[in-house]
Amino acid sequence: ERYKGIPLRTEANLVFNNPAVAIEIGLLEVLRFHVEEKGVDVNRRFWNGFNSDDRDMRNDLLIRLALFRGDIDILDFLLSVDGFDFTSMNEVENDEQEHDLIVNCFAYRLSRVNERCFEAFIRHPKVNVDALDRQGRTPLCIALGLLHRFTSRDDDLFAPTSAETNGLAGRILVLLEVGANPHALDASGSISMIEYARPAQGRHTGRHWRSIVQKMEETINSFGYICTCSNSRCGV
């Protein structure tokens, strides 16, 4: 007998010696055994044997594997572990990955992050929704840049589906709902996110942008954010 092309004897060895494989299969109790009985560090990287053909997933963080797999119970367990690091991507392999995990959700293959798990993660009280990547961008800044590409007719090489565009816009609304700062500046420090979004309301997919700008204004009022940009056109 085989499981996903792997002999069962080999599979059992992988599952009980590698928590990443337990996450891939969806075995919460086995993951719990790794963490609570074997003392596995949930902040280190593990090789994922069942995704050996996917180079980006061969040596990854458990939390990111859970976000991609979409198992809400496994995600909740990892977030509840004492000592879970909400602020860094530990043992990074390259500069692109060296930033806060919430930033990583947007900067790294967003479409692979499960929607329910993303929302559960981003609503966690210890998650900093205004964390900065190495270029000085917040998740909102990264997401709006992606949406600009998603909704631009000038980018023929980047053609997302309508579902991808709707999904990204929805995640931006969730970001704002939990308090992402619309007055956060871009990496150059020259323009705020709400000022960046307002001109886009007239695009052919302007309905997304109109909803986002409206949500931005609601967030500013709810959280009392104050504009820090030097451009008088910002207006709020």
Side-chain angles (χ1 to χ4, degrees):
E1 291 184 90
R2 303 173 72 86
Y3 180 88
K4 292 189 176 182
I6 298 176
L8 282 178
R9 285 183 300 173
T10 305
E11 176 209 346
N13 183 60
L14 284 171
V15 168
F16 288 101
N17 287 281
N18 189 334
V21 178
I23 291 176
E24 179 65 24
I25 299 176
L27 299 178
L28 173 58
E29 292 308 313
V30 175
L31 177 63
R32 191 187 302 275
F33 167 78
H34 278 290
V35 175
E36 296 179 351
E37 302 297 328
K38 298 180 68 174
V40 161
D41 180 3
V42 295
N43 297 310
R44 59 162 286 202
R45 291 176 177 272
F46 291 88
W47 178 73
N48 185 0
F50 284 149
N51 272 326
S52 58
D53 292 333
D54 187 343
R55 296 179 59 193
D56 293 327
M57 298 289 284
R58 289 183 67 177
N59 190 31
D60 213 339
L61 294 171
L62 298 181
I63 187 67
R64 199 162 67 180
L65 291 172
L67 284 166
F68 291 149
R69 188 186 183 280
D71 191 314
I72 194 73
D73 294 329
I74 285 178
L75 179 70
D76 286 342
F77 170 70
L78 289 173
L79 295 177
S80 70
V81 173
D82 288 340
F84 177 78
D85 188 350
F86 284 87
T87 61
S88 66
M89 297 294 291
N90 290 347
E91 301 180 35
V92 295
E93 296 181 332
N94 57 60
D95 287 345
E96 291 181 2
Q97 293 178 331
E98 192 170 353
H99 43 56
D100 193 284
L101 182 58
I102 183 59
V103 176
N104 198 259
C105 285
F106 285 96
Y108 176 84
R109 301 183 72 171
L110 175 69
S111 62
R112 294 187 60 176
V113 181
N114 175 271
E115 184 174 352
R116 287 181 65 235
C117 285
F118 168 79
E119 187 160 341
F121 176 75
I122 205 171
R123 291 182 184 278
H124 194 284
K126 290 187 178 180
V127 170
N128 178 12
V129 293
D130 287 321
L132 300 176
D133 71 358
R134 292 171 64 85
Q135 299 178 47
R137 302 175 301 172
T138 65
L140 182 59
C141 179
I142 296 170
L144 291 176
L146 282 173
L147 187 63
H148 174 82
R149 293 189 66 188
F150 275 30
T151 59
S152 174
R153 288 176 170 173
D154 300 327
D155 195 343
D156 295 332
L157 299 178
F158 199 77
T161 65
S162 58
E164 289 174 321
T165 302
N166 293 339
L168 175 58
R171 293 176 194 216
I172 293 173
L173 293 176
V174 174
L175 261 179
L176 293 166
E177 184 177 332
V178 298
N181 188 357
H183 284 316
L185 303 178
D186 66 358
S188 67
S190 60
I191 186 172
S192 69
M193 293 302 95
I194 190 167
E195 185 184 352
Y196 175 85
R198 278 177 173 153
Q201 295 177 90
R203 289 203 183 98
H204 68 291
T205 50
R207 61 185 180 86
H208 290 307
W209 291 97
R210 286 191 293 273
S211 297
I212 288 168
V213 170
Q214 181 180 354
K215 192 65 176 180
M216 283 179 163
E217 292 169 346
E218 293 174 2
T219 301
I220 289 170
N221 292 330
S222 298
F223 289 84
Y225 289 129
I226 299 174
C227 178
T228 58
C229 73
S230 57
N231 196 326
S232 59
R233 293 178 302 165
C234 188
V236 257

